[in-house]
Amino acid sequence: MFNFPILSLLIWIPILVGLFLVISNNLSNKLSEYLTLIITFLVLLLSLSLTNNYDQSLSQLQFIERIEWINGLNIFYYLAADGISVSLILLTAFINFLIAIYASSETYKNKSAYLGYFLILEGLLMGTFTAFDSILFYIFFESLLIPLFLIIGIWGGKNRKYATIKFFLYTLFGSVLMLIAIIYLSTLAGSFAIRDFYLLNLSFEEELFILLAFLIGFGIKIPMWPVHTWLPDAHVEAPTSGSVILASVLLKVGGYGMIRFMLPITTEAGIFLSEYMIYLSLIAIIYISFVAYAQTDMKKLIAYSSVAHMGFVTLGIFLVFHLLGNNLNAAVIGLEGAIIQMISHGLISAALFFCIGIIYKHSKSRLLKDNYGVVTFMPLFSFLMLFFLMANSGLPGTSGFVGEFLVITSALGSNIIIGFLAAISLLLSASYSLKLGKNVLFGENTQNIQGYKECTINEKFVLGVLVIFILYLGLTPDYLFKIIDHTTINLIDSINLGRT
Amino acid sequence: MIYLALILLLAPLVGTLLLLYTQNNSKRLSIFISNSSILISFFVSIYLLFLYFSCNYLPVSQDVLVFADTKLYSLSFGLYIDSLSLVMSTVVTSVSFLVHYYSISYMKDESSFNRFFIYTNFFTFSMLLIVLSNNFFQLFIGWELVGLSSYLLIGFWTSKESAIKANYKAFLVNRVGDIGLLLGLCLVFVTYGTTNYTEVFNLKDTINNSELDIFGTSFNLLSSICLLLFVGAMAKSAQVPLHFWLPDSMEGPTPISALIHAATMVTAGIYMVARLSPLYVLAEDVSIFILYVGSVTAFFLGLVSLVQNDIKRIIAYSTISQLGYMTAALGASLYSLAIFHLITHAFFKALLFLCAGSIIIKCHHEQDIRKIGGLRKFMPITYLAFLYASLSLIGFPLTSGFYSKEVIIDAIGYYNHTIPYTMLLAGIFITTLYTSKIFFKVFFGECTLHDRNEKENDKEMLVPLFILTAPSVFLGLFIFDSLLSGTLFGASLMSNTVVLDFYNNYVINSLYFFLHSFMTINFFILLIALIFSYYYYYKKSFNISIPNILSTILKNEYGFNNLSTKFIPKFQNLLTKYLWKNIDILTIDNGIINNTSLMFDKISNTVRKFQTGYIYHYSLTIISALILALLIIRIRY
């Protein structure tokens, strides 16, 4: 089979080059841009070859690298990938490549360090999605905060201090609880490997506390209502590419963790609490959509819409608990819907944050009232942005629809009321997405005091590629289904077997 | 056959893609691409229809493109070819082609000429996606894509404020319906494990007895599915109470109103129910609901058009009312009659709208019929076309509208649905009044054109009027017998027996039906309405003052206008602002998060005081602690 350590390369190439860029202060802007572009492209190629070599018909872990790391404590450098990891690795590599292309239309002081942090972030994300040793996972998971903290803290907007501290403390709080849970589990299992945790026989009380720790840890990351308030602030202060990576990949770490840890380890407690967790997801979908409608800042609007869309991810995951034992097919549909929703939201939110960045570049304002009539001066851009907004509102034919459709189907498999409440999102997401389009893109604007100008070639490329992939996933997502299908079915089956 | 059908479906899509790469300045090229792609579709559709009937094909259902094929379930795009889908696609492509041809002249001064044709071609594709679909999933996709095209075309003039508001509203109201449709689709998917029509129809009996539990009350599963799907149809086909987007959609260019908001898209709901008739036939309680929704719409929204003065708004309300007739027919399980009226209505209403477009262009975008008059002399061809379309609309004997509408009313009367029957009968009177109102005001009376030497419009605009006149007048008679006796649609539509029984016992044949109609109450009402409107609108020999309350209600369109332009937006603004400011910011952020950090601040400030940095403070603490410790030890031992 495949003998060369592709996962390690995916992690360490971007991290090392990123460190080099951060340290070498006097690298010229052009050079650092090219270097970033080359590295991200290389990583993209690597992850494509990973996908190509991934055997979809197998459900076990692949590309395993397992080396003893800290002898006495039984901690391993244990990397591997399954279908869920592969799909998220592809998303990470793809989004980072687009960020590297987009980089030349941003102007920042000390650009080489800026891009360096993005490369480090990319490597750490790859690590998070492939680590199968819980300590290794925790280290990657935790260190994700550092580059993003610096990106927002150094290159952010006016109010960046408040936003970064809030963001940092919020997520740190959650992950500390998670660390406690991991250490507790490892003392019981005598090993730090995540897969060994699955075999543990926990008492109900133990499960309940571990579930809560994970729920808070990953729930803050994803983020779930009511621990979502760090996200809009962080987005507003972050530079464009920072928002892109935050919304499109970093939030997915939360969903990934829930699938990897919560579903198999704390099944019984999950079933016990599933109803309440589903309510939380529904609140995220409906209430946050209302809040999104009230926003006057474009970035905040999309940030809230991200929370609402991640509500579908958590709903799909928690529905598994609800459906175990009575409708396994619907459970599989729900979980696959959640994963596809993560990938799709990764593309759509990235596209929207790029669009907002482009508008901001011209008008120097992100407020709805300062931007109007863009279509007169940027017809192509407006066409693309309207497309992304439509995708955001779950238009069929775009990827935004597929995940929501599957999750709603799964919800109807358990209870029609849950399905109905989730389906209201169809109306709400259209109302806030198109409100943005109505106010910003359309309307009369003869003066052009904002100085709108049609996109540059690299912006066109970035948005165009995103359009193609959103359409591809919306029309023939079969390939993505194939990647995740066996992993999902196997996961649900093993959870179900573990119960009986 | 399946390849031909693929060409039929994909030609407009290819047209759209080619147009995307066409520069805006080459008008001739975009005209060529857009028109020829629809024309290809039309010819293929005609050919297939011919082939289907001449060779006695059986319905074909075939999957074409895999959407997702996993271990547990699969979804795909596919085609379903039978007489119903072919007849419908012929109607769609023919009207679409004529509107495209008409638009060449109508839109010639637009700066984004190309964009218009991109949208219309895309619309035709999405509509065909619905019509030719062989599963619920594709139906939903097409359903939303026609909504998207409608959204784009209503807001075609992007800097026109009212148009932007109208398309936002149209999209959102349609989304309300889509929630129902999506839930129906998901419910089908999760219970049957497939979304394919034929497979679902085969399984329907096994599932018919299943129950669905909502808050402890159980409902019949099949009825729930039908009801949810019908909610989608109510929004798309503008039935009460989800109709109020349609009059506002008239902000778009007039050819669009003809194509999308009269002839094709709004009939998608009717088509869907007819397509799914094997399910609806079993859901009797839902059918009754549909019947009432249809007849209420037909009567009450017809009334509204009496007080309107905008020519396009009148015709829009007339469309809603006619859609009500079709819906009522669906509710009475007269599926083929609903489709019959759908077909004839598509032609005569498109004609009516295109005539209105000609008038509006001639009058420099004046749409208020009080300010238009005496056009008969200047626009003789439009005048005649409008006359024929109006006769068909009011159901004047021998015209298409007569056959398709009378037969619905009579059949509903025949099956003793008294209340709907009465409302539909009263509808005849109203239809006649508002049609004659436009007709007499626009073509007779004082001439209001500035230039007395105005002539008819270009030939591009007149040719479609000519062509559309033919089906508006003759098509009804032409297909009447074959349609009612069941040879046209055969097994595609359920409950042939209901229609057949009515046909054999009441209609006998088209000639008998025609002669018989002079003795019915329908004709009597029509005659009175015609005489009344002749004296009231033309001769103006008397004046009727409508009671104030009634006219206010009608002018407010039963309050739906205020509801959608004032109440809902205001409520939404207040609610969303309240939730954001009070819950998100005040409670969660300031109340919990920031307070926590403030609390930590306070604690650490207090604790910090112990860390003074003075040696004597520390040594004092150490010494006193030491003494305390020693004392404790001393006491305990």
Side-chain angles (χ1 to χ4, degrees):
Chain A
M1 218 183 105
F2 208 67
N3 273 329
F4 106 109
I6 188 167
L7 295 179
S8 289
L9 288 179
L10 278 174
I11 298 171
W12 296 109
I13 291 179
I15 291 187
L16 291 177
V17 179
L19 282 175
F20 168 73
L21 279 174
V22 170
I23 294 163
S24 60
N25 255 327
N26 47 3
L27 220 56
S28 82
N29 280 354
K30 271 276 158 281
L31 194 63
S32 50
E33 274 166 25
Y34 283 128
L35 191 59
T36 321
L37 194 59
I38 290 166
I39 295 302
T40 49
F41 187 62
L42 185 70
V43 173
L44 183 61
L45 286 183
L46 275 176
S47 56
L48 284 175
S49 96
L50 177 87
T51 321
N52 199 27
N53 282 296
Y54 176 75
D55 191 341
Q56 297 160 358
S57 60
L58 299 176
S59 50
Q60 65 254 42
L61 296 179
Q62 299 178 33
F63 313 104
I64 298 174
E65 297 170 31
R66 193 158 184 266
I67 308 162
E68 202 152 338
W69 182 20
I70 303 174
N71 282 343
L73 292 174
N74 214 1
I75 297 176
F76 282 81
Y77 176 78
Y78 180 10
L79 301 179
D82 63 1
I84 304 171
S85 313
V86 169
S87 55
L88 286 166
I89 287 172
L90 260 184
L91 176 72
T92 313
F94 180 66
I95 294 294
N96 270 287
F97 176 61
L98 293 183
I99 285 177
I101 294 174
Y102 183 78
S104 63
S105 49
E106 286 184 303
T107 42
Y108 289 113
K109 54 173 199 249
N110 203 355
K111 205 164 188 177
S112 73
Y114 178 72
L115 293 172
Y117 286 127
F118 275 99
L119 284 179
I120 296 174
L121 199 55
E122 178 174 20
L124 294 174
L125 281 165
M126 297 288 184
T128 319
F129 293 137
T130 53
F132 272 76
D133 182 282
S134 55
I135 291 296
L136 190 65
F137 173 84
Y138 184 76
I139 290 171
F140 281 128
F141 183 85
E142 233 5 89
S143 7
L144 283 176
L145 289 181
I146 302 163
L148 197 66
F149 179 78
L150 292 169
I151 288 170
I152 302 177
I154 300 174
W155 291 276
K158 273 182 216 139
N159 207 2
R160 57 179 183 263
K161 265 189 194 161
Y162 172 72
T164 42
I165 298 286
K166 191 172 175 184
F167 151 72
F168 199 86
L169 290 182
Y170 238 121
T171 38
L172 197 68
F173 171 70
S175 41
V176 165
L177 288 177
M178 203 181 88
L179 181 65
I180 298 169
I182 286 177
I183 291 174
Y184 184 79
L185 284 169
S186 66
T187 52
L188 288 182
S191 143
F192 282 95
I194 298 174
R195 298 233 138 184
D196 292 342
F197 296 168
Y198 296 178
L199 307 171
L200 287 173
N201 251 331
L202 299 169
S203 75
F204 182 73
E205 285 76 20
E206 283 172 325
E207 268 199 17
L208 204 59
F209 281 112
I210 291 167
L211 175 86
L212 286 176
F214 282 142
L215 186 65
I216 294 171
F218 296 124
I220 287 177
K221 202 84 182 180
I222 205 170
M224 282 171 70
W225 188 86
V227 285
H228 64 280
T229 55
W230 62 273
L231 188 72
D233 284 314
H235 267 306
V236 169
E237 301 307 328
T240 300
S241 304
S243 285
V244 169
I245 197 83
L246 176 60
S248 78
V249 194
L250 269 153
L251 302 187
K252 310 305 175 291
V253 174
Y256 174 81
M258 284 180 180
I259 296 172
R260 188 67 80 216
F261 287 88
M262 267 170 70
L263 278 185
I265 297 175
T266 59
T267 317
E268 287 306 321
I271 293 169
F272 178 68
L273 284 181
S274 66
E275 206 162 314
Y276 303 100
M277 299 196 291
I278 285 171
Y279 293 153
L280 284 183
S281 310
L282 289 173
I283 291 176
I285 293 172
I286 294 169
Y287 160 82
I288 294 290
S289 297
F290 277 123
V291 175
Y293 184 86
Q295 299 307 312
T296 51
D297 181 312
M298 291 193 273
K299 258 192 168 177
K300 271 199 172 169
L301 197 154
I302 300 301
Y304 275 109
S305 120
S306 289
V307 182
H309 282 99
M310 296 323 275
F312 272 98
V313 176
T314 53
L315 180 61
I317 294 170
F318 299 147
L319 274 170
V320 172
F321 289 130
H322 217 238
L323 290 164
L324 276 178
N326 53 44
N327 194 344
L328 281 190
N329 284 5
V332 172
I333 292 177
L335 191 56
E336 288 186 355
I339 297 166
I340 287 177
Q341 174 78 350
M342 288 205 278
I343 305 291
S344 145
H345 176 259
L347 299 174
I348 296 169
S349 64
L352 284 171
F353 280 118
F354 276 130
C355 285
I356 293 172
I358 292 168
I359 292 180
Y360 179 74
K361 196 175 78 179
H362 299 302
S363 68
K364 298 283 171 258
S365 165
R366 277 188 301 259
L367 296 184
L368 284 171
K369 65 175 164 47
D370 294 339
N371 294 292
Y372 45 86
V374 174
V375 70
T376 323
F377 310 101
M378 306 166 79
L380 179 70
F381 169 81
S382 306
F383 178 76
L384 295 174
M385 182 159 174
L386 190 65
F387 172 83
F388 296 132
L389 287 171
M390 281 289 177
N392 198 40
S393 71
L395 187 80
T398 66
S399 63
F401 168 66
V402 186
E404 291 180 13
F405 164 68
L406 293 177
V407 172
I408 292 172
T409 303
S410 154
L412 286 179
S414 85
N415 184 340
I416 192 165
I417 299 298
I418 299 175
F420 173 73
L421 291 174
I424 289 182
S425 137
L426 214 62
L427 175 66
L428 299 177
S429 63
S431 77
Y432 62 71
S433 300
L434 295 187
K435 180 196 170 197
L436 182 62
K438 183 179 82 161
N439 288 7
V440 173
L441 299 179
F442 302 134
E444 199 163 6
N445 183 354
T446 44
Q447 307 283 319
N448 197 14
I449 44 171
Q450 294 92 340
Y452 297 127
K453 229 165 64 192
E454 192 55 277
C455 314
T456 59
I457 183 88
N458 59 340
E459 291 165 351
K460 275 182 197 162
F461 179 82
V462 168
L463 298 181
V465 169
L466 282 166
V467 167
I468 291 170
F469 278 89
I470 289 171
L471 276 180
Y472 172 70
L473 285 187
L475 292 173
T476 53
D478 194 38
Y479 192 68
L480 181 58
F481 273 99
K482 287 256 157 48
I483 292 177
I484 60 172
D485 194 38
H486 277 89
T487 311
T488 324
I489 292 176
N490 184 49
L491 181 67
I492 302 265
D493 281 348
S494 64
I495 295 171
N496 201 41
L497 276 181
R499 288 187 65 220
T500 47
Chain B
M1 195 149 172
I2 213 83
Y3 290 105
L4 280 175
L6 266 181
I7 295 175
L8 159 65
L9 174 66
L10 293 179
L13 181 66
V14 172
T16 315
L17 295 177
L18 287 177
L19 285 169
L20 278 174
Y21 286 96
T22 316
Q23 292 303 315
N24 212 359
N25 46 24
S26 54
K27 278 193 181 176
R28 304 184 71 146
L29 188 62
S30 43
I31 291 171
F32 174 75
I33 294 172
S34 58
N35 281 272
S36 59
S37 58
I38 306 292
L39 198 60
I40 290 171
S41 267
F42 172 64
F43 281 135
V44 172
S45 178
I46 289 279
Y47 178 69
L48 277 173
L49 196 63
F50 173 73
L51 208 64
Y52 189 86
F53 282 113
S54 60
C55 304
N56 289 320
Y57 272 107
L58 289 172
V60 183
S61 162
Q62 179 152 10
D63 288 345
V64 177
L65 181 70
V66 174
F67 180 82
D69 183 22
T70 70
K71 247 167 112 179
L72 296 176
Y73 56 95
S74 75
L75 293 166
S76 51
F77 296 104
L79 299 175
Y80 192 81
I81 303 168
D82 68 347
S83 47
L84 178 62
S85 62
L86 287 177
V87 165
M88 188 71 183
S89 63
T90 310
V91 172
V92 170
T93 48
S94 57
V95 174
S96 174
F97 174 69
L98 292 172
V99 168
H100 270 76
Y101 190 72
Y102 179 90
S103 308
I104 296 172
S105 163
Y106 191 91
M107 302 299 286
K108 63 177 182 264
D109 300 326
E110 285 300 324
S111 57
S112 37
F113 187 74
N114 193 25
R115 188 161 57 93
F116 179 80
F117 284 113
I118 293 176
Y119 293 165
T120 49
N121 262 29
F122 183 69
F123 165 75
T124 312
F125 163 71
S126 337
M127 190 66 206
L128 289 173
L129 204 62
I130 297 180
V131 171
L132 294 169
S133 168
N134 75 342
N135 60 66
F136 289 86
F137 184 67
Q138 182 181 338
L139 170 82
F140 184 77
I141 292 185
W143 196 268
E144 287 253 303
L145 291 185
V146 290
L148 171 70
S149 340
S150 155
Y151 169 82
L152 291 170
L153 281 162
I154 297 170
F156 179 74
W157 289 303
T158 49
S159 45
K160 186 175 163 193
E161 211 61 56
S162 56
I164 300 306
K165 275 190 185 142
N167 74 349
Y168 184 64
K169 183 168 161 186
F171 197 82
L172 290 189
V173 176
N174 270 303
R175 268 290 165 103
V176 174
D178 292 348
I179 292 176
L181 192 68
L182 180 67
L183 285 174
L185 155 71
C186 292
L187 210 52
V188 166
F189 187 38
V190 83
T191 43
Y192 300 94
T194 173
T195 62
N196 192 293
Y197 288 154
T198 15
E199 288 170 29
V200 172
F201 294 162
N202 290 337
L203 288 168
K204 64 174 191 284
D205 296 324
T206 59
I207 226 85
N208 191 21
N209 298 320
S210 323
E211 301 281 312
L212 190 71
D213 188 66
I214 305 171
F215 289 134
T217 335
S218 55
F219 293 87
N220 184 286
L221 183 61
L222 194 71
S223 295
S224 315
I225 290 175
C226 288
L227 185 65
L228 286 169
L229 292 172
F230 181 66
V231 171
M234 276 163 78
K236 200 60 83 197
S237 295
Q239 297 298 300
V240 171
L242 296 176
H243 65 278
F244 53 91
W245 63 275
L246 190 64
D248 286 4
S249 76
M250 297 297 134
E251 292 293 341
T254 309
I256 290 318
S257 312
L259 175 62
I260 299 186
H261 304 118
T264 54
M265 184 187 85
V266 289
T267 58
I270 312 296
Y271 176 77
M272 181 197 74
V273 176
R275 175 92 279 172
L276 305 178
S277 50
L279 298 184
Y280 277 91
V281 136
L282 295 175
E284 278 161 16
D285 35 356
V286 179
S287 289
I288 296 292
F289 174 69
I290 296 175
L291 176 62
Y292 275 87
V293 166
S295 24
V296 165
T297 308
F299 176 70
F300 284 97
L301 293 176
L303 270 181
V304 175
S305 55
L306 288 179
V307 296
Q308 299 291 325
N309 286 314
D310 182 319
I311 181 167
K312 285 180 75 179
R313 260 185 113 82
I314 298 176
I315 308 181
Y317 270 107
S318 148
T319 304
I320 297 177
S321 157
Q322 296 302 311
L323 288 165
Y325 278 96
M326 298 175 210
T327 310
L330 293 174
S333 299
L334 306 159
Y335 302 108
S336 53
L337 300 189
I339 295 292
F340 186 27
H341 195 49
L342 187 163
I343 296 167
T344 58
H345 174 261
F347 291 113
F348 68 71
K349 195 48 77 61
L351 178 58
L352 215 51
F353 260 119
L354 293 186
C355 289
S358 301
I359 293 163
I360 290 167
I361 278 276
K362 190 95 302 183
C363 301
H364 311 285
H365 292 276
E366 179 56 64
Q367 301 190 4
D368 192 332
I369 53 169
R370 287 168 301 187
K371 297 179 187 159
I372 308 175
L375 290 180
R376 186 169 43 116
K377 284 179 204 144
F378 302 98
M379 312 175 79
I381 298 172
T382 312
Y383 164 69
L384 279 178
F386 198 96
L387 175 65
Y388 288 129
S390 305
L391 287 179
S392 199
L393 173 61
I394 63 176
F396 196 78
L398 270 183
T399 58
S400 294
F402 160 75
Y403 282 109
S404 59
K405 196 163 75 177
E406 301 302 297
V407 88
I408 289 177
I409 298 170
D410 286 356
I412 286 177
Y414 178 76
Y415 283 108
N416 291 327
H417 300 294
T418 321
I419 300 171
Y421 179 61
T422 326
M423 284 198 268
L424 295 184
L425 273 183
I428 299 178
F429 190 77
I430 296 161
T431 312
T432 315
L433 283 196
Y434 63 69
T435 313
S436 353
K437 178 179 167 184
I438 309 178
F439 183 70
F440 288 126
K441 285 208 171 163
V442 168
F443 290 104
F444 295 88
E446 278 289 293
C447 175
T448 47
L449 286 183
H450 301 298
D451 186 355
R452 295 275 160 174
N453 298 321
E454 289 270 6
K455 294 221 173 68
E456 268 283 15
N457 286 309
D458 310 356
K459 72 170 193 313
E460 276 95 347
M461 285 170 80
L462 293 180
V463 170
L465 301 188
F466 264 123
I467 299 176
L468 277 172
T469 310
S472 301
V473 178
F474 302 115
L475 187 71
L477 177 61
F478 186 65
I479 59 174
F480 185 80
D481 282 309
S482 63
L483 193 137
L484 261 76
S485 61
T487 45
L488 185 57
F489 289 131
S492 315
L493 293 170
M494 288 304 279
S495 76
N496 268 324
T497 47
V498 178
V499 178
L500 214 57
D501 176 42
F502 168 69
Y503 181 69
N504 291 334
N505 294 328
Y506 184 86
V507 177
I508 319 286
N509 61 40
S510 55
L511 182 68
Y512 181 82
F513 183 68
F514 168 66
L515 293 174
H516 174 73
S517 74
F518 290 105
M519 292 176 282
T520 56
I521 187 165
N522 309 8
F523 184 72
F524 184 62
I525 292 174
L526 178 67
L527 212 60
I528 291 180
L530 276 177
I531 294 166
F532 176 82
S533 44
Y534 177 76
Y535 283 107
Y536 183 63
Y537 290 118
Y538 183 61
K539 291 271 183 185
K540 298 196 176 92
S541 30
F542 58 92
N543 223 337
I544 299 171
S545 57
I546 313 169
N548 247 335
I549 307 167
L550 189 66
S551 83
T552 324
I553 291 175
L554 289 182
K555 279 198 175 129
N556 282 332
E557 300 164 18
Y558 301 112
F560 279 106
N561 232 349
N562 284 338
L563 184 74
S564 62
T565 53
K566 288 184 195 144
F567 182 69
I568 294 180
K570 215 172 208 172
F571 175 71
Q572 189 167 12
N573 273 335
L574 280 179
L575 176 74
T576 55
K577 284 250 159 61
Y578 176 83
L579 288 177
W580 177 41
K581 293 258 153 80
N582 284 294
I583 299 190
D584 244 49
I585 294 184
L586 275 178
T587 316
I588 299 178
D589 237 21
N590 292 348
I592 302 173
I593 306 300
N594 290 348
N595 261 346
T596 318
S597 79
L598 282 182
M599 195 179 71
F600 272 104
D601 231 34
K602 269 183 198 153
I603 295 173
S604 55
N605 269 333
T606 325
V607 177
R608 199 178 61 185
K609 293 196 179 119
F610 296 108
Q611 316 259 326
T612 53
Y614 297 111
I615 298 281
Y616 59 88
H617 280 170
Y618 292 153
S619 47
L620 188 70
T621 321
I622 292 169
I623 290 167
S624 34
L626 200 64
I627 293 169
L628 201 68
L630 286 172
L631 274 176
I632 290 170
I633 292 167
R634 185 87 187 94
I635 291 164
R636 292 191 81 178
Y637 302 100

